[in-house]
């Protein structure tokens, strides 16, 4: 039914904010607190995701590393990945794109902006 | 700032600050540990991000500036020192206060500006605390523009997990959009790679959004995406439909055709499009696209030309209000002129007065019409509210609206906003159940709130209904008795019980939420409805839902009234409610005794004697008049001495002292300068019913 979106961010409040926006639109949400947690959940929970939204700066495994590994998982090559960046992270943004990110969103963003982007990439 | 995640934010911020504190203190002991700096950097970065997301700009700014300082430490351009740690601790204290402020636990604002100056002085840069949030861009003017957009997605768009359709959908959402897909670049089968995108699109978009808003859609795939956006038409540009560019011109402009080739082909004098395709200069889909553009713009311009009168003009609403006031005065003066001319028996003056009357009425209608706005915009405002509230309360709610084109006076519409919001909030808070409850009750997970408007006679009906649990009349009764609003032995029918929810302070919700249960709300609705001279009706079925029906007057300023006379005093009844007038002879009155009922075409109709109700002294005439009015599908008669005639009633509110006067909704000034009171018919009926119930109660009491 609803598409499932994975949110990876070490800030639980931002995860809550995004999750509530997405839930409000009927999306199913899977949360992870960093890259390592995300990969572990993807591998062990047996649930596939239709999209991933990830922060870049995270302990243990950062977003860029995550995107690279995510793209190598069979079936996730063409799944949209949106990275959350801040104004000052132009270099990171470039690395993220090279790693296979589909799009990026600059923090702070309004929930509507995120929903617009999700609508756009999850056709 | 509350809302989703607000509390989580505060908890998380405190955790992060604790991390910052211990890292700072550790740094004081071991200045060489790069891990500590990394920890500080990351914690501040996270705080900056979430602070900005939740709208705590001060927190985000301070965190950002400190992050920049530790970035310098990390890159080696700044050394760890006791001063650095001191500054870090100072910033930490400020951040703690700011978080307490965000949690609503503190009131004092810390000196953020002073702190930023110190951080700036320390790191040798000026930390001005530039806003982290880019200023919102203006959405552009209301002018409709037409753009030509060529969207050539990167060939690897699919491999990047994106679908070009998504972008097209967003463009369609911006306005009126026409897309022509270009297939000319699809290679032969042998060379075809199914993972690559060979298609591109030509779009003609008519929108009020500006160039940047369109570009923003593509911002995520900007590199690798070839995008051409050009303005090709704007309101106010040449109005001649046939004037738009010729096919060859469009193709050259788009870069699809070289000027030299165009001239060559033009010399052959065949149909240009065909010749171009034949000559292999342009493929047929590009020609088709250019032709589509030509047609579209010509159509647009033709529409503009024909609909010249439909062009709108923005006027300050205050000016409009003044205009309505002036028309109100004019209507009053005109009535005086008509009366004077009748008395003067001068045919010349009578002719002029008649003409003035005709024009005044036409003017009145036109002016009131200008103020009419479709109710749909108001409905649209609630979409967001329904969604947010539903999310906040853990309920799934969808809003369905209908009849958005129904028009209402601007003032009515503005004053309708609050009561509607209250009712919808009430529906979500009390009516709609949680998804699990709904599933258990055999309903769909998602509750539905319907908002419908329609014109009924000279009124507008607005219905708000939910498919929730319905009103529990037993609980309302129990609550009313418990709070002393109702005597335990009082007998009320269901409708009367429902009416109780409009009493100030009444609530059936045990816990207080931000939405409902504070006992304010429904009485606000009642007040607003009364203020609008409207009625509200509740219908509810347990387990099925509740429907509120409001009947609103089209306008508040001027109504058609029926002027009547009682003992030399003038009164006005709203003509929209009046059905007919019949005579009431003295002997009939005697026959009916104290029952106050009259037979009209096989139907018994109750009547109210206004002379008695208002205690007007003197004898009633031999033959009185009953004005029969329809109120909420019931027919009720109002007995007056005589009917004077129709009257253009400019409504003036009653003074503050008379605001509590029941049965009256306002006053108006008549042509001769005297004042007539405007009757509030539903309220009069209600008062009569209450008086009658008291009487019956007294009788019942005597029997026992």
């Amino acid at each position: 039914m609803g598409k499932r979106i994975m949110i990876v961010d070490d800030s639980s409040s931002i995860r809550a904010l995004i999750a509530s926006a997405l839930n409000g639109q009927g999306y199913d949400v899977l949360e992870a607190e960093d890259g390592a947690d995300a990969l572990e959940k993807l591998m062990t929970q047996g649930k596939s995701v239709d999209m991933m939204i990830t922060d870049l700066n995270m302990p243990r495994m950062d977003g860029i590393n995550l995107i690279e590994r995510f793209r190598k998982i069979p079936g996730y090559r063409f799944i949209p990945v949106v990275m959350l960046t801040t104004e000052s992270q132009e270099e990171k943004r470039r690395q993220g794109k090279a790693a296979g990110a589909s799009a990026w969103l600059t923090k702070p963003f309004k929930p509507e902006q995120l929903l617009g982007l999700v609508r756009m990439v999850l056709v | 700032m509350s809302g989703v995640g607000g509390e989580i934010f505060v908890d998380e911020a405190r955790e992060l600050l604790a991390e910052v504190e211990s890292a700072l203190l550790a740094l004081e002991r071991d200045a060489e540990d790069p891990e500590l700096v990394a920890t500080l950097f990351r914690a501040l970065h996270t705080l900056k991000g979430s602070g900005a997301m939740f709208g705590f700009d001060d927190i985000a700014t301070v965190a950002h500036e400190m992050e920049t300082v530790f970035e310098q430490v990390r890159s080696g351009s700044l050394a760890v020192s006791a001063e650095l740690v001191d500054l870090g601790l100072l910033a930490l204290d400020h951040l703690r206060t700011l978080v307490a402020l965000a949690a609503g636990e503190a009131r004092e604002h810390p000196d953020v500006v002073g702190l930023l100056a110190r951080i700036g002085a320390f790191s040798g840069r000026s930390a001005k605390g530039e806003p982290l949030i880019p200023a919102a861009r203006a959405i552009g003017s209301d002018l409709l523009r037409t753009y030509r957009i060529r969207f050539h997605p990167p060939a690897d768009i699919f491999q990047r997990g994106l679908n070009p359709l998504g972008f097209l959908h967003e463009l369609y959402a911006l306005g009126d959009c026409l897309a022509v897909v270009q297939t000319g670049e699809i290679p032969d089968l042998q060379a075809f790679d199914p993972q690559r995108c060979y298609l591109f699109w030509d779009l003609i978009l008519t929108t009020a959004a500006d160039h940047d808003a369109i570009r923003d859609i593509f911002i995520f795939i900007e590199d690798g995406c070839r995008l051409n956006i050009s303005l090709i038409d704007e309101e106010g540009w040449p109005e001649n439909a046939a004037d738009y560019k010729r096919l060859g011109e469009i193709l050259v402009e788009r870069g699809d055709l070289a000027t030299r080739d165009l001239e060559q082909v033009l010399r052959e004098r065949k149909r240009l499009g065909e010749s171009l395709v034949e000559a292999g200069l342009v493929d047929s889909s590009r020609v088709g696209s250019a032709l589509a553009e030509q047609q579209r713009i010509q159509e647009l311009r033709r529409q503009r030309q024909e609909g010249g009168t439909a062009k709108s003009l923005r006027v300050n609403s205050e000016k409009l209000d003044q205009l309505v006031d002036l028309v109100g005065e004019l209507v009053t003066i005109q009535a005086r002129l008509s009366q004077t001319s009748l008395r003067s028996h001068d045919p010349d003056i009578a002719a002029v007065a008649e003409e003035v009357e005709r024009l005044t009425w036409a003017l009145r209608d036109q002016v009131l019409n200008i103020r009419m706005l479709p109710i749909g915009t108001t409905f649209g405002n609630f979409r967001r509210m329904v969604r947010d509230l539903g999310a906040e309360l853990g309920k799934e709610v969808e809003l369905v609206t209908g009849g958005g084109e129904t028009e209402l006076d601007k003032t009515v519409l503005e004053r309708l906003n609050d009561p509607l919001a209250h009712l919808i909030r009430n529906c979500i808070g009390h009516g709609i159940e949680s998804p699990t409850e709904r599933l258990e009750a055999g309903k769909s997970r998602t509750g539905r709130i319907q908002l419908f408007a329609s014109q009924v006679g000279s009124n507008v009906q607005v219905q708000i209904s939910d498919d929730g649990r319905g009103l529990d009349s037993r609980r309302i009764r129990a609550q009313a008795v418990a709070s002393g609003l109702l005597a335990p032995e009082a007998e009320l029918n269901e409708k009367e019980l429902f009416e109780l929810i409009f009493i100030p302070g009444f609530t059936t919700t045990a816990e207080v939420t931000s939405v409902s249960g504070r006992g304010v709300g429904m009485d606000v609705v009642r007040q607003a409805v009364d203020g609008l001279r409207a009625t509200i009706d509740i219908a509810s079925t347990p387990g099925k839902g509740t429907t509120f029906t409001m009947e609103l007057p089209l306008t508040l300023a001027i109504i058609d009234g029926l002027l009547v006379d009682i003992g030399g005093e003038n009164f006005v009844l709203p003509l929209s409610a009046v059905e007919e007038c019949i005579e009431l002879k003295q002997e009939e009155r005697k026959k009916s005794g104290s029952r106050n009922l009259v037979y009209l075409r096989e139907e018994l109709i109750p009547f109210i004697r206004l002379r008695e109700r208002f205690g007007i002294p003197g004898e009633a005439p031999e033959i009185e008049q009953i004005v029969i009015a329809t109120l909420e599908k019931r027919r009720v008669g109002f007995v007056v001495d005589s009917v004077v005639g129709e009257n253009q009633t400019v409504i003036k509110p009653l003074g503050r002292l008379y605001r509590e006067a029941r049965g009256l909704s306002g006053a108006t000034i008549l042509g001769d300068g005297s004042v007539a009171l405007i009757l509030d018919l539903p309220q009069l009926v209600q008062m009569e019913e209450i008086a009658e119930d008291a009487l019956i109660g007294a009788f019942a009491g005597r029997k026992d």
Side-chain angles (χ1 to χ4, degrees), chain B residues 504-520:
Chain B
F506 187 86
T507 179
T508 54
T509 307
E511 80 269 37
V512 172
T513 66
S514 64
V515 187
S516 47
R518 291 197 178 135
V520 287

Side-chain angles (χ1 to χ4, degrees), chain B residues 57-59 61-62 94 98 109-119:
Chain B
D57 297 349
D58 278 349
I59 296 178
T61 308
V62 173
H94 275 75
L98 286 170
H109 255 278
D111 178 19
V112 174
V113 180
L115 175 70
L116 292 179
R118 283 190 64 173
I119 299 175

Side-chain angles (χ1 to χ4, degrees), chain A residues 24-82:
Chain A
Q25 297 294 306
Y27 296 111
D28 218 359
V29 170
L30 199 63
E31 293 184 31
E33 56 182 54
D34 59 43
D37 186 32
L39 284 181
E40 199 184 299
K41 283 190 171 136
L42 282 175
M43 296 307 190
T44 58
Q45 294 206 343
K47 286 184 193 164
S48 66
V49 297
D50 301 292
M51 176 180 177
M52 185 161 84
I53 298 170
T54 178
D55 188 23
L56 291 185
N57 244 316
M58 291 179 294
R60 294 208 292 169
M61 185 192 293
D62 71 3
I64 290 160
N65 210 329
L66 170 66
I67 297 171
E68 265 169 12
R69 291 184 187 220
F70 180 76
R71 284 276 180 243
K72 291 198 181 111
I73 304 174
Y76 286 142
R77 223 183 120 189
F78 299 148
I79 295 292
V81 174
V82 173

